[in-house]
Amino acid sequence: MLVRERETPEGLLVAVCDEECLGETYDDGDVSLTVTEEFYGGEESDADEVVDSLTRASVANLVGEECVTVAIEAGLVDEERVLDLGEALHAQLLWL
C-alpha cells in the first residue's frame, strides 16, 4: 500500500492506495476516479502504518481492496459506506 500525507490549513490529508491501483481509472457509470501519482503516490506502508496515518488524518481518501479492508478492520471506515467501483473499492474518511 502507498501512503501520502499532506499538511493543509484544515489538518492532515492522507491518501492511501493499493500499489496496483496507481495510474488506473475506475468508472462505475455514475462515478469516475483516476488514481494519480500526484495525489496517491507515496511511501510503501504496511497495515500498521496505514492505520497510524488514518488515525492522525483529518481527511483521508482510500482506493483499493487491501487498504479499504485494513481501514474497515481497524474500525475506521464503515463497510456500508464503501463505494464499489467495479474493479476497486473507494472510501473517504472525515473526522469531525
Side-chain angles (χ1 to χ4, degrees):
M1 294 173 283
L2 302 175
V3 175
R4 184 163 189 176
E5 296 184 355
R6 295 176 187 82
E7 283 295 338
T8 72
E10 292 78 27
L12 182 65
L13 169 63
V14 174
V16 184
C17 75
D18 294 358
E19 283 190 65
E20 64 271 12
C21 294
L22 199 61
E24 297 293 327
T25 297
Y26 301 101
D27 191 335
D28 79 345
D30 295 324
V31 177
S32 178
L33 175 68
T34 300
V35 185
T36 63
E37 173 75 32
E38 294 80 20
F39 189 79
Y40 287 95
E43 299 293 320
E44 285 189 37
S45 302
D46 63 21
D48 290 336
E49 293 166 325
V50 168
V51 169
D52 178 62
S53 287
L54 293 176
T55 57
R56 293 183 291 106
S58 298
V59 176
N61 291 280
L62 302 96
V63 181
E65 187 172 341
E66 183 180 9
C67 68
V68 171
T69 299
V70 165
I72 291 168
E73 289 175 354
L76 300 170
V77 168
D78 180 353
E79 188 172 5
E80 298 295 318
R81 302 290 182 202
V82 173
L83 243 65
D84 184 347
L85 300 177
E87 298 176 27
L89 299 179
H90 173 59
Q92 294 180 319
L93 173 68
L94 173 64
W95 295 108
L96 299 175

